[in-house]
Amino acid sequence: MNILVTGGAGFIGSHTCVTLLNAGYNVIIADNLCNSKKDTIDKIKVITNKDVIFYQVDINQEKEVDEIFNNHIIDGVIHFAGFKAVGESVKKPLDYYYNNVLSTISIIKLCEKYGVDRFVFSSSATVYGNNAVPFKEDMELLSTTNPYGETKVISERILKDTSTANQNFSVAILRYFNPVGAHESGLIGESPNGVPNNLMPYITQVAKRNLQVLKVFGNDYSTSDGTGVRDYIHVLDLAEGHVAAFENLKKGVHIYNLGTGKGTSVLELVEAFERVNNIKIPLEIVDRRPGDIDSCYADTSKVKSELGWNAKRDISSMCRDSWRFETNNE
Ligand code: NAD
Ligand code: UD1
């Protein structure tokens, strides 16, 4: 089976390609490399010892992407391509709506044109907004606080409407919680440009002494130790969740949370990182970051019962693998 993976050179896409190749799928990657590097494609080949077809293309360039569908029999699409930085989306909303929403429309149109009716979409737990934890797939989506989140809400809606109009369209919408970790080879992982916004990449930069101190954004939340609680999930568990979702696609739109169901506070994550890697992380408590919520973790009962998937890797593996990737990629 040939799977077209948009954004397959990125953090989650590259790990999913590895898992797909190891499960026996052929992978065609379409990525414009706006937030990734070409050598990731070679690393995917090294890890799996399998070949990958790569097109450097912008998903919004419909004619160029049309050629991919023309050149190959595509059995399904996993659509990762998109921008993902919340803060940047507030400053550049049009870039986010253009890239994230239009790319989703373009790729669905090509699926319709070529009769490709299996589709997996990268959504985010950010769509739950200020709902009460644990987040369940059938919760009403209260307003998201940023344009990035809104692009995911709109894309989900577009997929639902498309599947209502085309009864053969089978869609899995996967709402990711907080992906961290890296492949155990240390070859692929997350390498954000500039100063990281997210917690784990910030911790690894402090561990490397590229940054001096971790700023903990608030210790007055209503959580066990006052710091924000999140559902960190190892990127390889997430990758396996995509294969499970693809293999269990059913007609219509089906939404699944990909998280562990367990919340970990900022201080607990720092403590685990220090223990596993034997490195001290200096920290200071500062004001809350605007837009942050107390707690965010998944109800995983639906994904367990319908896809038979659950996350296997613990916080220690996440900390070890994140750090291994960081030290391997000086
Ligand atoms: P990433 O930036 O590492 O990967 C995205 C990839 O898409 C990159 O390789 C980039 O070059 C490519 N891309 C972007 N726009 C493109 C376009 N128009 N045409 C072709 N390629 C394009 O991000 P990631 O962390 O791997 O995230 C993948 C998906 O998962 C995104 O849709 C993101 O919104 C979603 N998501 C990520 C997280 C997270 O914390 N990482 C959480 C929830 C959802
Ligand atoms: C971010 C995104 C969210 C996305 C999620 C998964 C924002 C506002 N939201 O959420 O849309 O779905 O990532 O990738 O960016 N923290 C610190 N110091 C830091 C960095 C973070 O204390 O330097 C704290 C935060 O306050 C939070 C926790 O660490 O409590 C996790 O933060 P982060 O990694 O940015 O993820 P989210 O806030 O969950």
Side-chain angles (χ1 to χ4, degrees):
M1 267 208 195
N2 294 330
I3 306 196
L4 176 63
V5 183
T6 77
F11 172 45
I12 305 170
S14 58
H15 290 82
T16 303
C17 288
V18 166
T19 307
L20 286 167
L21 288 160
N22 286 338
Y25 292 95
N26 299 318
V27 166
I28 299 158
I29 294 177
D31 197 305
N32 64 358
L33 304 180
C34 67
N35 197 35
S36 49
K37 297 195 187 94
K38 176 130 193 303
D39 70 359
T40 299
I41 309 290
D42 301 323
K43 290 174 177 172
I44 294 171
K45 293 182 192 169
V46 169
I47 292 170
T48 59
N49 201 21
K50 302 217 165 116
D51 205 11
V52 172
I53 298 169
F54 173 58
Y55 288 88
Q56 184 169 350
V57 64
D58 186 327
I59 302 304
N60 285 319
Q61 298 300 320
E62 216 171 299
K63 272 199 185 141
E64 290 175 36
V65 185
D66 191 305
E67 269 182 40
I68 305 177
F69 283 81
N70 214 358
N71 293 346
H72 307 272
I73 295 168
I74 307 285
D75 297 293
V77 170
I78 305 185
H79 180 43
F80 291 103
F83 295 151
K84 63 165 178 177
V86 173
E88 187 184 58
S89 80
V90 176
K91 292 187 194 115
K92 302 178 178 172
L94 292 181
D95 288 0
Y96 271 70
Y97 286 110
Y98 185 87
N99 199 41
N100 291 8
V101 179
L102 268 195
S103 66
T104 304
I105 295 175
S106 298
I107 199 83
I108 302 172
K109 275 174 71 185
L110 287 169
C111 286
E112 284 206 326
K113 178 173 171 188
Y114 286 90
V116 178
D117 51 20
R118 297 171 199 218
F119 198 93
V120 176
F121 177 66
S122 297
S123 190
S124 167
T126 194
V127 300
Y128 290 111
N130 279 323
N131 270 295
V133 283
F135 296 149
K136 265 182 99 69
E137 291 87 344
D138 58 3
M139 279 174 162
E140 192 191 339
L141 302 185
L142 308 172
S143 70
T144 50
T145 51
N146 57 77
Y148 164 71
E150 208 53 41
T151 68
K152 295 297 180 189
V153 173
I154 296 170
S155 297
E156 289 197 3
R157 177 63 198 255
I158 291 169
L159 285 162
K160 280 179 205 155
D161 291 345
T162 307
S163 93
T164 305
N166 171 0
Q167 304 275 322
N168 286 325
F169 205 39
S170 303
V171 181
I173 290 175
L174 305 180
R175 293 180 178 158
Y176 313 152
F177 282 70
N178 290 56
V180 294
H183 190 264
E184 58 267 12
S185 63
L187 288 176
I188 56 173
E190 185 177 23
S191 34
N193 297 324
V195 177
N197 293 309
N198 296 118
L199 182 59
M200 183 66 95
Y202 205 102
I203 292 176
T204 56
Q205 288 305 310
V206 174
K208 254 183 152 176
R209 308 297 178 228
N210 287 343
L211 295 168
Q212 298 215 311
V213 58
L214 171 70
K215 296 189 186 76
V216 175
F217 298 143
N219 65 352
D220 56 353
Y221 285 107
S222 40
T223 59
S224 57
D225 61 21
T227 64
V229 164
R230 297 292 183 270
D231 186 342
Y232 298 96
I233 174 167
H234 196 294
V235 65
L236 281 175
D237 279 322
L238 203 61
E240 288 163 11
H242 288 73
V243 177
F246 191 82
E247 287 178 348
N248 289 283
L249 276 170
K250 302 187 285 281
K251 285 181 182 159
V253 169
H254 304 273
I255 302 177
Y256 301 103
N257 284 339
L258 293 186
T260 64
K262 288 189 208 88
T264 302
S265 75
V266 175
L267 295 182
E268 285 166 346
L269 188 70
V270 171
E271 210 175 274
F273 189 95
E274 291 184 328
R275 179 173 36 77
V276 169
N277 298 313
N278 199 22
I279 300 172
K280 185 85 194 129
I281 303 295
L283 56 82
E284 62 176 308
I285 309 291
V286 300
D287 286 348
R288 291 181 176 199
R289 179 172 66 179
D292 272 357
I293 53 174
D294 295 36
S295 295
C296 169
Y297 54 90
D299 180 307
T300 55
S301 47
K302 183 179 177 195
V303 69
K304 275 184 193 155
S305 70
E306 292 191 16
L307 301 185
W309 170 91
N310 62 290
K312 299 187 196 84
R313 295 160 179 89
D314 61 10
I315 288 283
S316 299
S317 323
M318 300 180 212
C319 292
R320 190 178 50 241
D321 294 340
S322 293
W323 181 234
R324 187 189 298 113
F325 173 72
E326 195 58 54
T327 48
N328 263 9
N329 291 272
E330 302 287 339

